[in-house]
Amino acid sequence: MKKTVQVRDVVIGEGLPKICVSIMGKTKEALIEEIHYIKELDIDVVEWRMDHYDKIDELQMVKETVNQIRSELGNIPLLATFRSKSEGGEKELNEEAYIKLNEEIIASEEVDLIDVELFLGDEPVKDLVEFAHTHNVKVVMSNHDFDQTPAKDEIVSRLCKMQDLNADLPKIAVMPQSIDDVLCLLCATNEMVTKYADRPIITMSMSGKGTISRIAGEIFGSALTFGAAKEASAPGQVEVNKLRNTLKIIHDAQ
């Protein structure tokens, strides 16, 4: 039996794929307003997309904001993510600033999960993973390709590398140019889960073509999916209530 990952009361890797919704406000006030809205929805995890925050360079403000977010969320698990511009995010930080930001967020002990980008480099990734685990924070290790869908073997290889680097939740998101690309991502997911994974993984094919990958995780092996609330954080996300209903339909048919 593959290992599950528990964050607060949410167990990732069993039952229905868990639903994560991103908050992307540019100000603390906008973020709190988003939280008030999404708390009324049937969600499992909240992701703070820090790259949208307009004071991301002011670490004291970042720490005050994550403290406020944690207070507003109650017991809902919180994933903190700075998505680099090269992987589809709003801003770019140099390596030193990226590491410092993530270390400060981890050390705040206000978050349950932290996103670490695979292509940061092996050594800084290892250091951040170790630092996170020291503070009992789980690591979502990610790779996003907004240009293409790599070959199946390459997708599996990247997920295996994340696992080797001790990620709690390996994650990959790719852009399809054709339906064949969507099938490639789904086949890679199934191969990873059936042959190599000893922990839950997260995979998705983006855009409208890839929507099936966001709702069929239970069949192919992706343990968490991202849904849209007021605004989608990536192309192809499904509105939360529709997503939950679809996940239940698929689950009940198993």
Side-chain angles (χ1 to χ4, degrees):
M1 181 178 293
K2 290 184 173 60
K3 184 171 65 174
T4 57
V5 171
Q6 180 156 356
V7 280
R8 296 183 182 263
D9 295 335
V10 175
V11 182
I12 301 170
E14 69 176 25
L16 274 70
K18 302 307 180 281
I19 296 176
C20 181
V21 168
S22 301
I23 53 174
M24 298 176 291
K26 295 183 181 302
T27 66
K28 181 164 66 173
E29 293 72 25
L31 288 163
I32 300 310
E33 183 180 332
E34 284 187 72
I35 291 170
H36 290 168
Y37 176 79
I38 65 173
K39 281 179 70 175
E40 302 301 316
L41 304 175
D42 188 5
I43 61 175
D44 299 298
V45 179
V46 169
E47 177 189 44
W48 178 24
R49 279 287 301 273
M50 298 185 290
D51 50 296
H52 287 260
Y53 185 52
D54 62 7
K55 296 189 184 297
I56 198 63
D57 296 324
E58 301 176 33
L59 287 178
Q60 186 55 42
M61 284 297 298
V62 172
K63 289 189 281 188
E64 290 175 11
T65 300
V66 75
N67 180 275
Q68 184 75 35
I69 290 171
R70 174 74 275 155
S71 175
E72 294 286 343
L73 284 178
N75 201 43
I76 300 173
L78 176 60
L79 162 63
T81 298
F82 182 91
R83 179 67 60 238
S84 298
K85 200 161 192 174
S86 59
E87 297 215 8
E90 287 293 297
K91 297 183 178 73
E92 198 67 53
L93 292 177
N94 63 38
E95 181 180 308
E96 181 181 359
Y98 177 93
I99 292 170
K100 179 65 174 174
L101 170 65
N102 281 289
E103 286 180 341
E104 291 286 346
I105 288 292
I106 291 165
S108 75
E109 300 189 349
E110 302 286 8
V111 304
D112 305 286
L113 307 114
I114 193 84
D115 184 287
V116 177
E117 292 177 346
L118 171 66
F119 288 153
L120 177 65
D122 288 4
E123 292 310 312
V125 163
K126 288 176 184 176
D127 290 344
L128 268 178
V129 170
E130 182 178 356
F131 189 78
H133 288 165
T134 299
H135 289 80
N136 297 313
V137 173
K138 303 292 196 305
V139 174
V140 177
M141 196 172 296
S142 65
N143 171 232
H144 297 73
D145 192 328
F146 276 77
D147 297 321
Q148 62 179 342
T149 297
K152 183 185 72 167
D153 289 350
E154 177 62 20
I155 294 172
V156 173
S157 175
R158 292 181 193 180
L159 291 166
C160 285
K161 183 169 184 180
M162 295 174 193
Q163 189 165 269
D164 292 341
L165 289 168
N166 208 20
D168 298 283
L169 292 162
K171 174 193 174 190
I172 193 165
V174 296
M175 184 63 73
Q177 303 300 327
S178 66
I179 297 303
D180 283 345
D181 283 347
V182 179
L183 293 172
C184 174
L185 181 279
L186 294 174
C187 288
T189 303
N190 179 65
E191 181 171 320
M192 180 68 188
V193 168
T194 56
K195 294 184 178 179
Y196 307 110
D198 60 6
R199 64 204 68 189
I201 66 168
I202 303 167
T203 70
M204 62 209 71
S205 181
M206 295 182 282
S207 83
K209 284 186 179 73
T211 299
I212 184 66
S213 69
R214 296 183 181 276
I215 63 177
E218 188 170 1
I219 295 173
F220 293 95
S222 181
L224 182 145
T225 188
F226 286 75
K230 281 191 170 182
E231 181 183 355
S233 62
Q237 288 180 359
V238 180
E239 189 273 327
V240 168
N241 290 331
K242 292 180 181 177
L243 180 58
R244 178 69 74 185
N245 289 336
T246 306
L247 293 176
K248 287 179 178 176
I249 289 169
I250 292 173
H251 178 75
D252 290 345
Q254 300 302 300

